[in-house]
Amino acid sequence: AYTTEFDIGDGPRLVSGSPIYIGAYPAYFLNIATAFSQILSPVQDLLHTELLLNVIVLLAFTATMGYLIFIMSQWGNKMNREVKKRTHEIQVANKSLSEKAIEMQKLNTDLNGANQKIKIAYENLKKHDKLQKEFVNIVAHELRTPVQSIMGFVEMMDLNPENRPKYMERLKHNTARLERLTADTLDIARIESGTFRLSKEKSNLKELIKNAIDDLTFTIHNSKRNNKLAVIYGKENEDLFINIDKSRIAQVLSNLLSNADKFTKNGDILAKVTKLNREKEIEVKVIDNGQGIDKEILPKLFEKFVTKSDIGTGIGLYISKQIVLAHGGRIWGKNNETRKGAEFGFSLPYI
């Protein structure tokens, strides 16, 4: 048997044949020719059908995958939006918590500050209460001394009329002391209550200083002290007119000069006034060569009831400071650098 391909003009054919033997030799051949189109047509139809099925399956798979991808994409987008939303909510919540934490911290700081202020106020109240009690005790003691002296001298005048002039002089002294103490007490009450007021007018500072020095010189010369003390006025040539409370500045001058006199047994007291044009100030200094300022009280020199003296209440410098400050000036006290003694001074602004 054999198979071969022939083309006899009307397309290729597949020829299958087998010889027919007569005896030992092939006498005839039997051939069957079949056109290729008849053979390939079913195969092509089968292949076409198979290809079509594969395409359909592929398209269905692709569509399914596309749909799944679309669904997954939509779900992913939704989840992404949800994540962003939740993230934003968490960020807002964290920001709110941070703001609350800062607010709580601020409130805590404010509370601590308020507690500290309350504590300070309480301590100041205790201190004020203590000072008030001390003030009452000191004033009561100081008032008692001149009052008892006045009562004693009045009684002595009745018992010894012949010594009346002598007792009258002591009465005047203690009455003046009582008046000063009463005035100082009223000044402190006004300062502490915030009702301290000035009555300013144009005044000649040079004249005020001269009058204060004359008053102290008269007191020194009429006292029975054996010490030698001179009050010197180092003055400017010109008059110094300035807008001040005349009586209050006179009070400051009297306090400073009396203070210098109290601690200077022998020596000089110099009152010096200087006009400082650049600073627009007038400086008044009271310089003595007495015992100087005790180092223990130097840091608190202008506080109430600070004194090392057996006489006086220690309120003169405190009142003087408040008067000068009310005028917009400065006040100071220090020991002399090149010699013994102390310097007290104050400045007043001028226009």
Side-chain angles (χ1 to χ4, degrees):
Y2 57 87
T3 301
T4 184
E5 181 181 344
F6 289 100
D7 188 354
I8 56 174
D10 55 355
R13 294 174 180 270
L14 180 64
V15 179
S16 298
S18 179
I20 300 174
Y21 288 90
I22 298 177
Y25 299 99
Y28 302 98
F29 289 90
L30 179 62
N31 294 313
I32 299 173
T34 305
F36 269 108
S37 59
Q38 294 178 348
I39 297 172
L40 294 177
S41 180
V43 174
Q44 287 177 344
D45 290 342
L46 182 61
L47 290 174
H48 180 72
T49 302
E50 187 70 22
L51 179 61
L52 183 59
L53 288 174
N54 287 337
V55 170
I56 291 171
V57 170
L58 181 60
L59 288 174
F61 177 77
T62 302
T64 302
M65 291 303 296
Y67 178 73
L68 289 175
I69 290 171
F70 173 75
I71 295 299
M72 291 296 293
S73 176
Q74 290 295 105
W75 183 78
N77 290 336
K78 182 179 179 182
M79 290 300 295
N80 190 38
R81 288 194 299 270
E82 190 67 22
V83 169
K84 287 183 178 179
K85 179 183 176 183
R86 298 300 180 188
T87 303
H88 177 69
E89 290 175 354
I90 291 172
Q91 289 175 344
V92 171
N94 286 337
K95 183 179 179 181
S96 178
L97 286 174
S98 298
E99 290 174 353
K100 293 292 183 184
I102 293 172
E103 186 178 351
M104 288 297 294
Q105 186 176 7
K106 184 177 181 299
L107 288 174
N108 189 48
T109 302
D110 292 342
L111 183 60
N112 290 335
N115 288 335
Q116 188 66 23
K117 288 180 180 179
I118 291 172
K119 185 178 179 180
I120 293 172
Y122 176 70
E123 293 298 326
N124 289 337
L125 185 62
K126 284 173 60 179
K127 183 179 179 181
H128 179 74
D129 184 60
K130 181 182 177 183
L131 289 174
Q132 192 175 37
K133 289 178 180 178
E134 290 177 353
F135 175 70
V136 171
N137 292 333
I138 291 172
V139 170
H141 174 74
E142 292 296 324
L143 285 172
R144 187 184 302 114
T145 302
V147 168
Q148 287 178 341
S149 297
I150 290 171
M151 293 174 64
F153 284 119
V154 169
E155 185 178 349
M156 293 296 291
M157 287 173 65
D158 289 337
L159 296 175
N160 302 290
E162 67 278 6
N163 293 327
R164 188 181 186 88
K166 174 184 174 182
Y167 297 145
M168 184 60 70
E169 190 63 32
R170 300 308 302 166
L171 279 173
K172 290 179 181 179
H173 173 76
N174 282 282
T175 302
R177 182 180 176 185
L178 185 60
E179 182 186 14
R180 285 195 305 272
L181 182 59
T182 303
D184 287 346
T185 304
L186 290 173
D187 283 342
I188 287 183
R190 293 188 187 100
I191 292 168
E192 296 292 333
S193 64
T195 59
F196 184 76
R197 299 289 183 269
L198 299 178
S199 180
K200 292 184 179 181
E201 59 180 317
K202 190 174 182 180
S203 305
N204 189 350
L205 186 60
K206 186 172 98 171
E207 182 180 334
L208 284 178
I209 296 172
K210 184 177 183 303
N211 291 339
I213 290 174
D214 290 343
D215 290 342
L216 180 61
T217 302
F218 177 80
T219 302
I220 292 172
H221 289 167
N222 284 276
S223 66
K224 294 185 178 181
R225 297 180 303 186
N226 295 321
N227 58 332
K228 296 179 181 178
L229 184 62
V231 183
I232 306 167
Y233 179 31
K235 58 185 178 181
E236 294 268 353
N237 293 327
E238 59 179 329
D239 290 331
L240 298 172
F241 286 96
I242 188 172
N243 191 34
I244 55 175
D245 188 319
K246 187 175 179 180
S247 62
R248 290 299 185 181
I249 295 301
Q251 184 179 351
V252 174
L253 290 167
S254 177
N255 281 335
L256 297 186
L257 288 168
S258 298
N259 202 57
D261 173 48
K262 189 189 303 180
F263 294 100
T264 305
K265 301 302 179 183
N266 290 283
D268 298 328
I269 297 174
L270 172 64
K272 183 179 180 182
V273 60
T274 307
K275 185 177 182 181
L276 305 176
N277 292 321
R278 188 172 65 178
E279 291 83 1
K280 297 295 182 182
E281 287 182 337
I282 294 178
E283 273 190 355
V284 179
K285 296 179 181 179
V286 176
I287 306 170
D288 63 64
N289 59 356
Q291 67 187 59
I293 305 169
D294 190 285
K295 292 182 179 179
E296 183 179 340
I297 67 170
L298 190 57
K300 47 186 178 180
L301 192 59
F302 293 96
E303 295 180 12
K304 294 192 294 288
F305 315 126
V306 176
T307 182
K308 279 282 186 176
S309 173
D310 294 332
I311 58 175
T313 58
I315 58 178
L317 289 179
Y318 171 76
I319 294 173
S320 296
K321 177 182 178 180
Q322 302 307 316
I323 292 172
V324 172
L325 292 180
H327 280 83
R330 299 177 293 113
I331 191 168
W332 64 89
K334 61 181 181 179
N335 286 315
N336 295 324
E337 296 178 358
T338 57
R339 61 171 188 166
K340 68 176 184 176
E343 173 191 312
F344 283 87
F346 64 93
S347 69
L348 296 171
Y350 75 91
I351 299 176

